[in-house]
Amino acid sequence: MKTLMIYGATGYTGKMIAHQAKKAGLNFVVAGRDKQKLGELAETLGVSAAVFTLEDPKLVREQLVDIAVVLNCAGPFAKTAEPLIKACIENGIDYLDITAEINVYRLAESLQQSATQAGSMLMPGVGWDVVPTDSLAVTLSRQVKNPQRLRIALQVAGSMSRGSAISAGEIFSAGLLARVNGELTTKQDASMGMFDFGLGAVECAPLSFGDLVTAWHSTSIPNIEMFVHVAGAGFPEGDLSLLPDGPSLDELQSTPARAVVEITGADGEVHRAIIDTVNGYAYTPLAAIEAAKRALEGQRAPGFQTPAKVFGDDFALSIPGTRITVLNGQGNH
């Protein structure tokens, strides 16, 4: 039976993912740096623990022997993704993660050739980032003749976890980017966008998420922009280490997540669709473990991949409580 490694399993989201892996009946080990926390989690779940840091490439490769899929949950991913991705390629195994940091997607994309040659699948973004928007963009693009422009807006509801807040710093530091005529470039226009998530149009700020890479691979639409609307308390400021681990159970249950996609065809007509589902922190463990399960079962492809390309247009809808609504009179799914 193939084995999954969940690295960063003792974090807020990592712990939820580990519990979901147990619920799904997967063969897995928990991994990370904190021996005490890992030991406690491993005992609770009845699985093995692997304690190691990522500084020594040889040590990382050795820890991944007998592992088929690595699911990285340890942010900020700017520090953890590269050593794990390279070790996965060296071992010819698959790499998944739950990051929103665009530079991780750019890194994985840049390693396309070596990953393909090694038979290793690289699929960053198997959580709320980017599974729902990937499915939504592909689903809508199939209804548009010669799509030319894609705009994606995320609604961030409720409070953020400490790890997400730290990762957000990596997103901001990447600068404002857009895809123009197929090329990722610095965004010249930093103006706000207006998007309707179902309760009227609201202002959304431009931001560089992983979809600028994944949506290009999934849809081939040459011009892509990303926006975000923070419906909760906003991006945290100050000493992020003082933030709570993550949203409370009440917050998770009361703050659903939504995203909007707009695609403009060559004729200038704008097509719109919305996806709504459970809170992103509740969605991520379900989507990430479903992706890992499928990869372990052989639903995979070597090289840099996106969820919609490998698992199908409707992968996002495999998560309970998820709905896609096409907003231009073409029905619901």
Side-chain angles (χ1 to χ4, degrees):
M1 192 173 181
K2 293 182 178 179
T3 303
L4 167 70
M5 173 180 282
I6 302 172
Y7 193 86
T10 61
Y12 175 77
T13 307
K15 193 177 295 183
M16 289 194 291
I17 284 174
H19 280 275
Q20 181 61 27
K22 182 69 174 181
K23 185 177 179 181
L26 300 188
N27 186 42
F28 69 102
V29 299
V30 293
R33 298 177 302 172
D34 192 314
K35 183 176 181 179
Q36 182 177 341
K37 288 183 179 180
L38 276 172
E40 292 170 357
L41 180 62
E43 185 176 357
T44 298
L45 296 173
V47 298
S48 299
V51 183
F52 64 100
T53 61
L54 303 176
E55 286 78 15
D56 182 349
K58 183 174 182 291
L59 173 63
V60 178
R61 289 196 304 271
E62 289 172 352
Q63 291 290 337
L64 301 190
V65 173
D66 298 327
I67 299 296
V69 177
V70 172
L71 174 53
N72 182 14
C73 307
F77 294 85
K79 296 182 178 179
T80 63
E82 184 168 5
L84 284 170
I85 286 175
K86 290 186 173 179
C88 285
I89 292 173
E90 288 280 343
N91 287 24
I93 64 175
D94 296 344
Y95 172 90
L96 311 175
D97 72 30
I98 56 169
T99 190
E101 299 171 28
I102 187 170
N103 284 336
V104 173
Y105 294 83
R106 298 172 76 181
L107 169 67
E109 182 186 42
S110 74
L111 294 171
Q112 161 77 8
Q113 185 175 352
S114 57
T116 301
Q117 290 173 344
S120 175
M121 181 170 74
L122 308 181
M123 187 187 287
V126 294
W128 168 247
D129 307 292
V130 294
V131 168
T133 45
D134 199 39
S135 283
L136 187 60
V138 174
T139 298
L140 187 61
S141 70
R142 297 200 189 283
Q143 302 183 21
V144 181
K145 186 177 181 180
N146 196 9
Q148 293 298 306
R149 185 188 188 202
L150 168 64
R151 299 168 83 220
I152 301 172
L154 301 174
Q155 184 181 62
V156 177
S159 60
M160 297 176 69
S161 73
R162 182 169 57 246
S164 293
I166 294 170
S167 268
E170 298 293 337
I171 297 170
F172 289 127
S173 68
L176 279 182
L177 302 170
R179 192 167 290 275
V180 180
N181 296 325
E183 298 295 328
L184 203 57
T185 183
T186 301
K187 188 175 172 68
Q188 301 301 321
D189 179 11
S191 59
M192 304 288 279
M194 298 296 294
F195 294 86
D196 187 348
F197 294 94
L199 296 173
V202 293
E203 279 195 334
C204 298
L207 200 62
S208 304
F209 282 105
D211 297 80
L212 292 173
V213 178
T214 55
W216 164 242
H217 284 269
S218 294
T219 69
S220 299
I221 297 175
N223 301 290
I224 305 172
E225 295 174 281
M226 289 290 305
F227 297 84
V228 64
H229 173 70
V230 181
F235 289 105
E237 297 178 352
D239 187 351
L240 300 181
S241 67
L242 300 178
L243 290 174
D245 286 348
S248 67
L249 181 59
D250 285 345
E251 279 188 284
L252 293 182
Q253 294 174 341
S254 63
T255 51
R258 297 181 178 89
V260 172
V261 160
E262 291 185 355
I263 298 179
T264 305
D267 58 2
E269 185 176 352
V270 179
H271 301 252
R272 297 178 177 86
I274 185 170
I275 189 165
D276 56 273
T277 186
V278 294
N279 182 282
Y281 291 105
Y283 188 96
T284 291
L286 300 173
I289 289 304
E290 180 61 27
K293 178 174 178 288
R294 294 188 187 198
L296 288 167
E297 292 172 349
Q299 192 174 351
R300 55 181 301 280
F304 174 79
Q305 299 293 343
T306 68
K309 282 188 71 175
V310 174
F311 304 136
D313 304 1
D314 60 351
F315 179 57
L317 294 173
S318 68
I319 308 307
T322 305
R323 181 181 63 170
I324 288 177
T325 305
V326 178
L327 301 175
N328 34 324
Q330 295 174 42
N332 299 344
H333 299 277

